[in-house]
PDB file of all heavy atoms in Angstrom:
ATOM      1  N   LYS A   2     126.502 134.482  97.752  1.00 62.00           N
ATOM      2  CA  LYS A   2     126.750 133.214  98.239  1.00 62.00           C
ATOM      3  C   LYS A   2     125.841 132.789  99.303  1.00 62.00           C
ATOM      4  O   LYS A   2     125.320 131.694  99.475  1.00 62.00           O
ATOM      5  CB  LYS A   2     128.249 133.083  98.753  1.00 62.00           C
ATOM      6  CG  LYS A   2     129.261 132.992  97.605  1.00 62.00           C
ATOM      7  CD  LYS A   2     130.677 132.732  98.184  1.00 62.00           C
ATOM      8  CE  LYS A   2     131.737 132.730  97.130  1.00 62.00           C
ATOM      9  NZ  LYS A   2     133.107 132.581  97.640  1.00 62.00           N
ATOM     10  N   ARG A   3     125.565 133.767 100.238  1.00 63.00           N
ATOM     11  CA  ARG A   3     124.534 133.477 101.350  1.00 63.00           C
ATOM     12  C   ARG A   3     123.305 133.294 100.769  1.00 63.00           C
ATOM     13  O   ARG A   3     122.544 132.429 101.367  1.00 63.00           O
ATOM     14  CB  ARG A   3     124.549 134.847 102.333  1.00 63.00           C
ATOM     15  CG  ARG A   3     123.788 134.653 103.507  1.00 63.00           C
ATOM     16  CD  ARG A   3     123.769 135.828 104.352  1.00 63.00           C
ATOM     17  NE  ARG A   3     125.107 136.071 104.892  1.00 63.00           N
ATOM     18  CZ  ARG A   3     125.540 137.046 105.803  1.00 63.00           C
ATOM     19  NH1 ARG A   3     124.638 138.080 105.830  1.00 63.00           N
ATOM     20  NH2 ARG A   3     126.738 137.162 106.123  1.00 63.00           N
ATOM     21  N   LEU A   4     122.882 133.960  99.763  1.00 52.00           N
ATOM     22  CA  LEU A   4     121.376 133.669  99.195  1.00 52.00           C
ATOM     23  C   LEU A   4     121.435 132.353  98.615  1.00 52.00           C
ATOM     24  O   LEU A   4     120.293 131.699  98.849  1.00 52.00           O
ATOM     25  CB  LEU A   4     121.229 134.861  98.154  1.00 52.00           C
ATOM     26  CG  LEU A   4     119.783 134.686  97.496  1.00 52.00           C
ATOM     27  CD1 LEU A   4     118.736 134.923  98.376  1.00 52.00           C
ATOM     28  CD2 LEU A   4     119.784 135.792  96.277  1.00 52.00           C
ATOM     29  N   ILE A   5     122.378 131.903  97.889  1.00 57.00           N
ATOM     30  CA  ILE A   5     122.491 130.533  97.289  1.00 57.00           C
ATOM     31  C   ILE A   5     122.409 129.510  98.491  1.00 57.00           C
ATOM     32  O   ILE A   5     121.784 128.545  98.329  1.00 57.00           O
ATOM     33  CB  ILE A   5     123.737 130.395  96.523  1.00 57.00           C
ATOM     34  CG1 ILE A   5     123.646 131.307  95.215  1.00 57.00           C
ATOM     35  CG2 ILE A   5     123.862 128.968  96.074  1.00 57.00           C
ATOM     36  CD1 ILE A   5     124.879 131.393  94.408  1.00 57.00           C
ATOM     37  N   ALA A   6     123.103 129.823  99.565  1.00 54.00           N
ATOM     38  CA  ALA A   6     123.110 128.783 100.666  1.00 54.00           C
ATOM     39  C   ALA A   6     121.749 128.666 101.322  1.00 54.00           C
ATOM     40  O   ALA A   6     121.287 127.628 101.682  1.00 54.00           O
ATOM     41  CB  ALA A   6     124.179 129.227 101.736  1.00 54.00           C
ATOM     42  N   MET A   7     121.096 129.900 101.479  1.00 53.00           N
ATOM     43  CA  MET A   7     119.785 129.927 101.970  1.00 53.00           C
ATOM     44  C   MET A   7     118.753 129.077 101.060  1.00 53.00           C
ATOM     45  O   MET A   7     117.919 128.389 101.540  1.00 53.00           O
ATOM     46  CB  MET A   7     119.250 131.297 102.179  1.00 53.00           C
ATOM     47  CG  MET A   7     119.942 131.998 103.486  1.00 53.00           C
ATOM     48  SD  MET A   7     119.300 133.723 103.672  1.00 53.00           S
ATOM     49  CE  MET A   7     117.579 133.512 103.954  1.00 53.00           C
ATOM     50  N   LEU A   8     118.891 129.331  99.733  1.00 46.00           N
ATOM     51  CA  LEU A   8     118.107 128.783  98.819  1.00 46.00           C
ATOM     52  C   LEU A   8     118.268 127.163  98.777  1.00 46.00           C
ATOM     53  O   LEU A   8     117.315 126.337  98.875  1.00 46.00           O
ATOM     54  CB  LEU A   8     118.310 129.270  97.411  1.00 46.00           C
ATOM     55  CG  LEU A   8     117.386 128.818  96.353  1.00 46.00           C
ATOM     56  CD1 LEU A   8     115.920 129.078  96.635  1.00 46.00           C
ATOM     57  CD2 LEU A   8     117.812 129.297  94.937  1.00 46.00           C
ATOM     58  N   ALA A   9     119.563 126.719  98.906  1.00 50.00           N
ATOM     59  CA  ALA A   9     119.796 125.333  99.038  1.00 50.00           C
ATOM     60  C   ALA A   9     119.229 124.718 100.294  1.00 50.00           C
ATOM     61  O   ALA A   9     118.732 123.666 100.214  1.00 50.00           O
ATOM     62  CB  ALA A   9     121.421 125.097  98.933  1.00 50.00           C
ATOM     63  N   ALA A  10     119.324 125.541 101.341  1.00 54.00           N
ATOM     64  CA  ALA A  10     118.750 124.917 102.669  1.00 54.00           C
ATOM     65  C   ALA A  10     117.248 124.798 102.574  1.00 54.00           C
ATOM     66  O   ALA A  10     116.728 123.796 103.046  1.00 54.00           O
ATOM     67  CB  ALA A  10     119.169 125.938 103.747  1.00 54.00           C
ATOM     68  N   VAL A  11     116.565 125.789 101.912  1.00 48.00           N
ATOM     69  CA  VAL A  11     115.193 125.736 101.855  1.00 48.00           C
ATOM     70  C   VAL A  11     114.633 124.499 101.048  1.00 48.00           C
ATOM     71  O   VAL A  11     113.841 123.704 101.268  1.00 48.00           O
ATOM     72  CB  VAL A  11     114.486 127.040 101.113  1.00 48.00           C
ATOM     73  CG1 VAL A  11     113.088 126.788 100.685  1.00 48.00           C
ATOM     74  CG2 VAL A  11     114.654 128.219 102.165  1.00 48.00           C
ATOM     75  N   LEU A  12     115.527 124.313  99.820  1.00 45.00           N
ATOM     76  CA  LEU A  12     115.237 123.069  98.976  1.00 45.00           C
ATOM     77  C   LEU A  12     115.434 121.944  99.643  1.00 45.00           C
ATOM     78  O   LEU A  12     114.686 121.013  99.461  1.00 45.00           O
ATOM     79  CB  LEU A  12     116.014 123.350  97.651  1.00 45.00           C
ATOM     80  CG  LEU A  12     115.667 124.503  96.654  1.00 45.00           C
ATOM     81  CD1 LEU A  12     116.726 124.559  95.580  1.00 45.00           C
ATOM     82  CD2 LEU A  12     114.206 124.214  96.105  1.00 45.00           C
ATOM     83  N   ALA A  13     116.487 121.874 100.411  1.00 54.00           N
ATOM     84  CA  ALA A  13     116.879 120.625 101.218  1.00 54.00           C
ATOM     85  C   ALA A  13     115.751 120.202 102.234  1.00 54.00           C
ATOM     86  O   ALA A  13     115.318 119.131 102.256  1.00 54.00           O
ATOM     87  CB  ALA A  13     118.169 120.751 101.862  1.00 54.00           C
ATOM     88  N   LEU A  14     115.260 121.282 102.949  1.00 53.00           N
ATOM     89  CA  LEU A  14     114.180 121.075 103.895  1.00 53.00           C
ATOM     90  C   LEU A  14     112.873 120.659 103.220  1.00 53.00           C
ATOM     91  O   LEU A  14     112.166 119.811 103.811  1.00 53.00           O
ATOM     92  CB  LEU A  14     113.926 122.296 104.775  1.00 53.00           C
ATOM     93  CG  LEU A  14     115.027 122.498 105.840  1.00 53.00           C
ATOM     94  CD1 LEU A  14     114.904 123.909 106.500  1.00 53.00           C
ATOM     95  CD2 LEU A  14     115.037 121.386 106.908  1.00 53.00           C
ATOM     96  N   SER A  15     112.624 121.272 102.077  1.00 54.00           N
ATOM     97  CA  SER A  15     111.259 120.882 101.462  1.00 54.00           C
ATOM     98  C   SER A  15     111.252 119.472 100.962  1.00 54.00           C
ATOM     99  O   SER A  15     110.250 118.892 100.803  1.00 54.00           O
ATOM    100  CB  SER A  15     111.039 121.911 100.291  1.00 54.00           C
ATOM    101  OG  SER A  15     112.021 121.705  99.308  1.00 54.00           O
ATOM    102  N   GLY A  16     112.511 118.938 100.664  1.00 61.00           N
ATOM    103  CA  GLY A  16     112.459 117.536 100.158  1.00 61.00           C
ATOM    104  C   GLY A  16     112.764 116.471 101.278  1.00 61.00           C
ATOM    105  O   GLY A  16     112.917 115.369 101.020  1.00 61.00           O
ATOM    106  N   CYS A  17     113.031 117.005 102.466  1.00 78.00           N
ATOM    107  CA  CYS A  17     113.259 116.093 103.487  1.00 78.00           C
ATOM    108  C   CYS A  17     112.070 115.461 104.246  1.00 78.00           C
ATOM    109  O   CYS A  17     112.282 114.621 105.213  1.00 78.00           O
ATOM    110  CB  CYS A  17     114.294 116.734 104.496  1.00 78.00           C
ATOM    111  SG  CYS A  17     113.345 117.991 105.586  1.00 78.00           S
ATOM    112  N   GLY A  18     110.889 116.039 103.867  1.00 86.00           N
ATOM    113  CA  GLY A  18     109.719 115.452 104.377  1.00 86.00           C
ATOM    114  C   GLY A  18     109.222 116.100 105.787  1.00 86.00           C
ATOM    115  O   GLY A  18     108.279 115.755 106.413  1.00 86.00           O
ATOM    116  N   TYR A  19     109.986 117.109 106.272  1.00 89.00           N
ATOM    117  CA  TYR A  19     109.571 117.904 107.453  1.00 89.00           C
ATOM    118  C   TYR A  19     108.154 118.329 107.454  1.00 89.00           C
ATOM    119  O   TYR A  19     107.452 118.060 108.373  1.00 89.00           O
ATOM    120  CB  TYR A  19     110.607 119.046 107.649  1.00 89.00           C
ATOM    121  CG  TYR A  19     110.266 119.715 109.003  1.00 89.00           C
ATOM    122  CD1 TYR A  19     110.835 119.153 110.195  1.00 89.00           C
ATOM    123  CD2 TYR A  19     109.380 120.795 109.067  1.00 89.00           C
ATOM    124  CE1 TYR A  19     110.571 119.836 111.482  1.00 89.00           C
ATOM    125  CE2 TYR A  19     109.219 121.499 110.222  1.00 89.00           C
ATOM    126  CZ  TYR A  19     109.698 121.001 111.438  1.00 89.00           C
ATOM    127  OH  TYR A  19     109.426 121.638 112.636  1.00 89.00           O
ATOM    128  N   ASN A  20     107.792 118.964 106.445  1.00 91.00           N
ATOM    129  CA  ASN A  20     106.369 119.376 106.424  1.00 91.00           C
ATOM    130  C   ASN A  20     105.415 118.369 106.362  1.00 91.00           C
ATOM    131  O   ASN A  20     104.384 118.388 106.818  1.00 91.00           O
ATOM    132  CB  ASN A  20     106.214 120.300 105.114  1.00 91.00           C
ATOM    133  CG  ASN A  20     106.872 121.764 105.339  1.00 91.00           C
ATOM    134  OD1 ASN A  20     107.181 122.144 106.477  1.00 91.00           O
ATOM    135  ND2 ASN A  20     107.203 122.388 104.304  1.00 91.00           N
ATOM    136  N   ASP A  21     105.787 117.255 105.748  1.00 93.00           N
ATOM    137  CA  ASP A  21     104.842 116.040 105.616  1.00 93.00           C
ATOM    138  C   ASP A  21     104.639 115.432 106.958  1.00 93.00           C
ATOM    139  O   ASP A  21     103.589 115.001 107.314  1.00 93.00           O
ATOM    140  CB  ASP A  21     105.510 115.021 104.690  1.00 93.00           C
ATOM    141  CG  ASP A  21     105.316 115.461 103.207  1.00 93.00           C
ATOM    142  OD1 ASP A  21     104.284 116.233 102.825  1.00 93.00           O
ATOM    143  OD2 ASP A  21     106.177 115.009 102.487  1.00 93.00           O
ATOM    144  N   THR A 164     115.284 112.584 108.396  1.00 87.00           N
ATOM    145  CA  THR A 164     114.491 113.608 109.036  1.00 87.00           C
ATOM    146  C   THR A 164     113.959 113.090 110.391  1.00 87.00           C
ATOM    147  O   THR A 164     113.939 113.747 111.415  1.00 87.00           O
ATOM    148  CB  THR A 164     113.487 114.284 108.164  1.00 87.00           C
ATOM    149  OG1 THR A 164     114.023 114.721 106.947  1.00 87.00           O
ATOM    150  CG2 THR A 164     112.814 115.450 108.884  1.00 87.00           C
ATOM    151  N   PHE A 168     114.827 114.698 113.996  1.00 89.00           N
ATOM    152  CA  PHE A 168     113.775 115.233 114.901  1.00 89.00           C
ATOM    153  C   PHE A 168     113.102 114.474 115.865  1.00 89.00           C
ATOM    154  O   PHE A 168     112.048 114.786 116.435  1.00 89.00           O
ATOM    155  CB  PHE A 168     112.717 116.050 114.014  1.00 89.00           C
ATOM    156  CG  PHE A 168     113.286 117.199 113.201  1.00 89.00           C
ATOM    157  CD1 PHE A 168     113.696 117.041 111.936  1.00 89.00           C
ATOM    158  CD2 PHE A 168     113.437 118.386 113.885  1.00 89.00           C
ATOM    159  CE1 PHE A 168     114.238 118.195 111.302  1.00 89.00           C
ATOM    160  CE2 PHE A 168     113.897 119.509 113.197  1.00 89.00           C
ATOM    161  CZ  PHE A 168     114.344 119.392 111.899  1.00 89.00           C
TER     162      PHE A 168
END
Side-chain angles (χ1 to χ4, degrees):
K2 288 181 179 178
R3 187 177 293 173
L4 182 62
I5 292 171
M7 286 176 61
L8 185 60
V11 168
L12 289 172
L14 282 174
S15 65
C17 71
Y19 180 82
N20 289 338
D21 290 330
T164 304
F168 291 99

